[in-house]
Structure formats: structure tokens, C-alpha cells
Amino acid sequence: MCTAITLQSAGGENVFARTMDFSYDIQPHLYAVPRNFVWNNAPNGRYNRDRYSFMGIGQQLGSLLGFFDGVNEKGFAAASLYFAGYAQYATAGSNSSAIPVASYDFLHYILGSCSSVEELISQLGSVQIVGMPDPVTQTVAPLHWIATDRTGRCVILEPAGDRLLAYNNPIGVLANSPDFPWHMTNLRNYTEASPRQTEEAFWGSVQLTPFGQGGGTDTLPGGYTSPQRFVRTAYLKTHIPQPGNGEKAVLSCFQILKSVSIPKGAVVTARGTDDYTRYTASLNASTGEYYFNTYENPQIRKAHFHADNAASGSLIDLGSLAQPVSFEQM
């Protein structure tokens, strides 16, 4: 369970943000991955070399370094989200002309090799996504991906066996299952949602008046299912005032994603574990700035993409996202 959005400022800066909702225990860190970083490509046992440096939130378990979201030196940003019941991966070796990439490594692959959404689309035919168990869940995680760049263009990638379907995303929102076209069609059920106040009505001689402000939002769903979160996020994103600059766009993203952030206890899995928002991240694709907060610490922290990181030659662990909250004394 996760939700992601893109948001453009009046100054042309493109901001990408997501919630990481997960029921398994993860210990995410923020990493700076240098240009020419070499990593093991599990399906074929060969090593892959990153063309571009990037910053990303992920987790390292043994020799495996998996990423959840990130932005590279060219302003290309992307994230992986769960796609349960719909993700269909290729069988390793079914396409001998394509590079096989494990599903949990695909985000790393595109962050290290794509400078833009256009370049991502051009590479899709040469990549084959193979489903392989990850060390966190011990299962083949069903995933789909959202990607954007400095131009503001946004696409969704969804695996359908030997094919990887790409959809232009004009609304800049993604949640989980069902597939992206279904979510866009479902928005038609909410055409009456409005920020305007509902007017009084008469049922015969009986006058009915609204209970105050917000009556135009009565039709919006309030639960935490993927379709409900998609609708709420799409409504908020398209109705807030356009932020004046990148920093205000970042803050707007955090405000929007509050409406779909899940507290502990609200959603419990069949395993008896809480599925909740572990962290929220907001990335400025135009500047390389990375903002995030966590469930335990709502204070927004920031890291900046530095040229030194790009050429360092070594992976840099910038630290765990888990930091104790500090209450300021008035």
C-alpha cells in the first residue's frame, strides 16, 4: 500500500512524492550512489554499471541493495509501489535479446541508466523484468512503477508477462491495484466532487441546509483502499492552488499525502501485522533535493544531491531514516 504524486510549481519545478506503506519490518536508509557504481544483476549473474549517479531511499541486506524511490543527477525520479494480483513477470531467458533484471532491482536499473522519461520509454524493449524473491518478504513482490523528470512528464510502468506496459499519466497520481487505466476510469464516478459549498435544497416544503463548509466533498471516499486513496489524492492535487516555487510544492505534497497516510492499527494484515505509512518522501527533480519524514518523527529533513557524490566512486550511506523526534520547548 503506497501512494505517489507529481506536482509542478509556478516556476516550473517538478516535485515527486510518495508514501511508503508497508506491513513488513524495514529499516530504510538514504544512499548516494555514484556514477559507474557496479552491482550484481541476479538473473544473469553479471555485473551492471550505472551511467548516472542518484540518491535513493532503500535497504541493504547482505549483498543486496534494494531501492524504494530515488532521483538521479539528470532529474529523473521514480518509485516502486505494490501491484498485488496484477503484476505478471517474464520467465528468465524467454527473451534472449533483452537484459533480464530482477523486479526488486528494476528501480535501481532505471535510476542508473535513464536521464528522462523519454529515454526510459526508449529502453523498455531491451529490458525483461524477472520475478525473484526479495529478502524482506521472502516472496516475489508484485510491483509497478511511476517515473517522472524535470519536464513534468509522468509515466506508469506495469509488468504483463513478457511485456512492460507504459501509460502516460496526465494526472500524476499512482496507488496500487487495479491497473492504472482502471483508476483513471474510476475517477468518472466522482465528477460531482467540488471544493464549493453545496446549496440548500427543498424536499417538498422541507428546507434542507448544509452542515457547514465542505459539502461539495461528500462524494469523496474516506477509506484506505488503493482506489479510495487514488481518488482522494487526485482530487486534492488538482484543486489546491499551484505552489509558487519548489519548496512550496514540496510542502504541498506533504499536505496532500497526509490525507492518505495510514496510522498504526487502521489496517491490519492477515498475518496480524500493521500496514502503515513508514515514511513519506518528496523529491525535487529540478534541484535534486530530497525531503522526508517518518512515522516516528514527523519533522521534515532534507538532503541535497552533490556533485561530489556523483563522482565519489563509492556508495555513500547517508544514514538511517529512523531518528528520534525532538519536541521544541516554547
Side-chain angles (χ1 to χ4, degrees), residues 243-263:
N245 55 40
E247 196 167 82
K248 291 181 179 178
V250 166
L251 292 175
S252 293
C253 284
F254 276 100
Q255 293 293 343
I256 291 169
L257 291 178
K258 282 181 182 178
S259 76
V260 291
S261 295
I262 306 171

Side-chain angles (χ1 to χ4, degrees), residues 254 277-280 292-301 321-327:
F254 276 100
T277 302
R278 306 267 175 165
Y279 71 82
T280 302
F292 61 90
N293 63 13
T294 66
Y295 189 87
E296 292 79 12
N297 188 348
Q299 174 63 49
I300 299 172
R301 286 173 285 162
L321 269 61
Q323 298 292 331
V325 65
S326 176
F327 296 98

Side-chain angles (χ1 to χ4, degrees), residues 150-168:
R150 288 174 179 168
T151 69
R153 184 182 177 187
C154 180
V155 294
I156 305 301
L157 304 178
E158 296 185 335
D162 286 337
R163 296 183 301 156
L164 188 58
L165 304 178
Y167 302 102
N168 281 317

Side-chain angles (χ1 to χ4, degrees), residues 113-188:
S113 64
C114 299
S115 61
S116 65
V117 168
E118 182 178 1
E119 186 171 10
L120 169 66
I121 298 299
S122 70
Q123 291 190 23
L124 294 185
S126 61
V127 179
Q128 180 185 56
I129 302 179
V130 179
M132 298 183 68
D134 67 75
V136 175
T137 68
Q138 302 298 316
T139 64
V140 178
L143 301 173
H144 59 172
W145 298 268
I146 179 172
T148 188
D149 59 27
R150 288 174 179 168
T151 69
R153 184 182 177 187
C154 180
V155 294
I156 305 301
L157 304 178
E158 296 185 335
D162 286 337
R163 296 183 301 156
L164 188 58
L165 304 178
Y167 302 102
N168 281 317
N169 186 351
I171 204 159
V173 176
L174 184 63
N176 310 107
S177 308
D179 56 43
F180 180 70
W182 186 98
H183 282 295
M184 291 299 293
T185 300
N186 184 50
L187 291 180
R188 295 167 62 184

Side-chain angles (χ1 to χ4, degrees), residues 33-53:
V33 180
R35 202 177 301 128
N36 295 317
F37 180 72
V38 176
W39 51 278
N40 181 46
N41 188 18
N44 61 11
R46 299 176 183 175
Y47 288 99
N48 196 75
R49 185 182 297 272
D50 293 323
R51 292 171 57 197
Y52 304 114
S53 60

